[in-house]
Amino acid sequence: MEEQKNKWLYITLEILLGALGAFFSAILFSVSGVKDVAGQLDVYYFKFFSLVYLGIILGVGLGGFIYTSYIRQPLNVVRGMLYGIVGLFVFVWVDLALRLFISNDVPYVLRAWILPILIPLLGTVIGFNIRIDKPFTLFHLNNHPDEFHILNGDSLLEQLHQFNKDKIVFRECLIDGPVKSTSLNAFMRERAIFFEEVFCANKDDYLKNVAGEIEKISRIPKGSIVNLWFEQDLFCQVNMWFIVNLLKEFSRNCTLYLVLPIKDSWHGFGVLSLEELKASYANRLALNTLDKKHIVKLWESYRENNWSELKRNASPLKPKMEHIEDVVQAHIDRFPENGPGRPEKTLKMVMAESENKDFANIFKKFNAQEGIYGFGDIQVKRMLERMKHIIKD
């Protein structure tokens, strides 16, 4: 409802900015000395328009300037005026052509009322390159699309606190728990229940801090630039597959970039300085249509536990994601036909070889050997509980 309200509000402002273009048309054309074919100076209706538009612009222009200042784009009204002026030049030449070549056959209402408003308005609309799917996107100071940064967690958000960009934090861990559902709302409800039962997380907190960020992704404007700050371990990759699929489902048609840590290690972004993070962004990888198709297939195959399709769609991505085939195989190794999976085997070995059974020590040694999984402490603790080991926190 709020987006619909904002849509009509900014369309109204657009029309009034077009009227501003007509105001400039009236002023310049009335003082230009152009006469009609009868030799009479036709300026009366221009003066009328000038007074009306001047009153409108004094109110709307000031209000628009204050409002757009509030949303951190204070020069937007100026940009609207400039495109209105472009429209006014078109209007002047069209009006001249009508007077010189068609003369009095042109209806007065068309020449005196419709054209002074319509042509500058069209110039303004074209110049703003309106996109109806996001409120006030017409007020951007340039023709570049919106740019968003989807981060793999709060730790990276803290590292990028000086990075003045639109940031969305993806706080899910889709390597664990249910991932099948009939809709996004159903998916988030099921995940909220899972977080509550397994991680003892408050359902309302999940809906606000986790599901709320996912909803932001679903509302990213069409045609935006989206930077995916995700590492190459399984934890990050599965989350990234979900996001690419989500953008496809909502027909966002975004330009996607994958931002990988500039240092190739399983430690990821956490060990990078701000300058190294900026370098990672500067070396981001563009994901073309075929890349996105394979990533969507990876998510679909992951949901259905289709190992052959996982492998088939991982291979074409290897030139951009060096470890993707190894990551997919590591996931498949979690679920052997018989016996414990690869992570459990490694954890059992670490426990057997470690004199110090403190969880922090066990967790560190496990990640040193199986960093490819990107498991957090919760995932490792759950494995230990399933293996019925006594852990010392």
Side-chain angles (χ1 to χ4, degrees):
M1 180 66 69
E2 186 65 24
E3 287 192 12
Q4 187 73 7
K5 177 182 176 182
N6 286 340
K7 182 183 78 170
W8 288 111
L9 175 59
Y10 81 69
I11 288 176
T12 302
L13 291 176
E14 172 65 71
I15 293 172
L16 293 176
L17 286 172
L20 176 61
F23 166 68
F24 278 103
S25 300
I27 294 295
L28 293 183
F29 193 61
S30 64
V31 300
S32 65
V34 176
K35 299 180 180 181
D36 63 18
V37 292
Q40 298 175 346
L41 187 62
D42 194 0
V43 299
Y44 297 106
Y45 72 92
F46 284 121
K47 291 180 180 179
F48 170 76
F49 276 118
S50 298
L51 291 174
V52 173
Y53 292 152
L54 181 59
I56 292 173
I57 295 310
L58 285 176
V60 175
L62 179 61
F65 187 85
I66 293 173
Y67 182 85
T68 54
S69 297
Y70 174 74
I71 61 175
R72 298 183 180 181
Q73 295 180 33
L75 299 180
N76 292 325
V77 173
V78 175
R79 182 171 181 258
M81 291 167 60
L82 292 176
Y83 280 110
I85 292 173
V86 172
L88 100 84
F89 284 110
V90 176
F91 160 67
V92 168
W93 285 104
V94 170
D95 195 69
L96 280 173
L98 290 173
R99 290 165 179 266
L100 294 175
F101 299 107
I102 307 180
S103 186
N104 294 327
D105 292 336
V106 180
Y108 180 82
V109 67
L110 174 65
R111 184 164 55 83
W113 290 86
I114 298 177
L115 290 178
I117 298 177
L118 182 60
I119 296 178
L121 174 60
L122 289 176
T124 313
V125 169
I126 294 170
F128 273 127
N129 188 22
I130 292 181
R131 292 198 308 275
I132 301 300
D133 60 309
K134 182 183 178 184
F136 298 102
T137 52
L138 79 163
F139 290 119
H140 286 277
L141 296 179
N142 53 56
N143 288 324
H144 297 299
D146 297 319
E147 184 171 9
F148 294 85
H149 296 261
I150 303 179
L151 312 183
N152 69 346
D154 288 287
S155 177
L156 182 57
L157 177 66
E158 179 63 26
Q159 290 174 270
L160 294 175
H161 70 281
Q162 296 179 346
F163 206 57
N164 189 23
K165 302 286 184 179
D166 289 322
K167 296 184 283 286
I168 299 172
V169 182
F170 194 80
R171 300 186 174 99
E172 260 287 4
C173 57
L174 297 174
I175 56 166
D176 213 351
V179 291
K180 294 182 181 180
S181 60
T182 56
S183 67
L184 181 60
N185 287 334
F187 175 85
M188 291 189 291
R189 285 196 300 269
E190 292 172 10
R191 295 295 299 180
I193 294 171
F194 171 75
F195 267 64
E196 188 175 43
E197 292 177 350
V198 176
F199 303 140
C200 299
N202 182 279
K203 188 183 296 185
D204 291 335
D205 289 341
Y206 175 90
L207 295 175
K208 176 182 177 181
N209 299 318
V210 183
E213 297 294 291
I214 294 175
E215 289 177 347
K216 288 181 184 178
I217 297 173
S218 70
R219 294 196 299 266
I220 287 177
K222 293 181 180 179
S224 296
I225 294 173
V226 177
N227 299 285
L228 305 167
W229 293 70
F230 288 85
E231 298 155 16
Q232 296 203 59
D233 58 73
L234 180 64
F235 189 107
C236 269
Q237 283 295 300
V238 172
N239 287 345
M240 189 267 286
W241 301 345
F242 168 82
I243 292 169
V244 175
N245 181 73
L246 183 66
L247 291 171
K248 187 268 294 184
E249 284 188 352
F250 281 84
S251 302
R252 298 294 92 180
N253 193 27
C254 296
T255 300
L256 301 186
Y257 290 92
L258 177 61
V259 183
L260 296 172
I262 198 168
K263 293 181 179 178
D264 184 18
S265 77
W266 298 121
H267 296 294
F269 294 115
V271 298
L272 301 187
S273 66
L274 181 59
E275 292 305 313
E276 288 171 328
L277 290 171
K278 290 180 178 179
S280 299
Y281 172 66
N283 289 277
R284 61 186 179 170
L285 302 171
L287 299 178
N288 59 38
T289 302
L290 194 57
D291 294 332
K292 290 185 278 188
K293 179 180 178 181
H294 287 302
I295 293 172
V296 168
K297 288 292 184 181
L298 284 174
W299 171 250
E300 293 173 351
S301 304
Y302 174 80
R303 290 180 60 193
E304 301 299 327
N305 295 325
N306 189 330
W307 306 147
S308 60
E309 280 296 298
L310 270 174
K311 290 181 178 180
R312 191 175 74 83
N313 285 284
S315 297
L317 295 168
K318 188 174 176 62
K320 293 180 180 177
M321 305 177 207
E322 179 182 355
H323 303 294
I324 187 66
E325 290 181 321
D326 295 333
V327 167
V328 165
Q329 187 58 53
H331 173 62
I332 295 172
D333 292 341
R334 295 171 68 192
F335 308 101
E337 292 183 3
N338 299 298
R342 170 177 159 182
E344 287 80 8
K345 289 179 180 178
T346 300
L347 188 56
K348 183 178 180 180
M349 182 181 66
V350 168
M351 291 290 293
E353 295 177 353
S354 299
E355 294 182 6
N356 182 355
K357 304 296 184 183
D358 286 346
F359 176 75
N361 180 60
I362 298 299
F363 179 68
K364 181 179 179 180
K365 288 188 174 182
F366 174 83
N367 273 336
Q369 295 190 42
E370 295 289 16
I372 193 170
Y373 286 104
F375 284 166
D377 55 352
I378 293 178
Q379 284 75 43
V380 176
K381 280 187 176 183
R382 291 193 71 203
M383 280 196 296
L384 286 168
E385 290 168 1
R386 288 195 298 266
M387 294 165 61
K388 300 185 185 305
H389 280 293
I390 299 176
I391 60 174
K392 299 182 340 185
D393 292 307

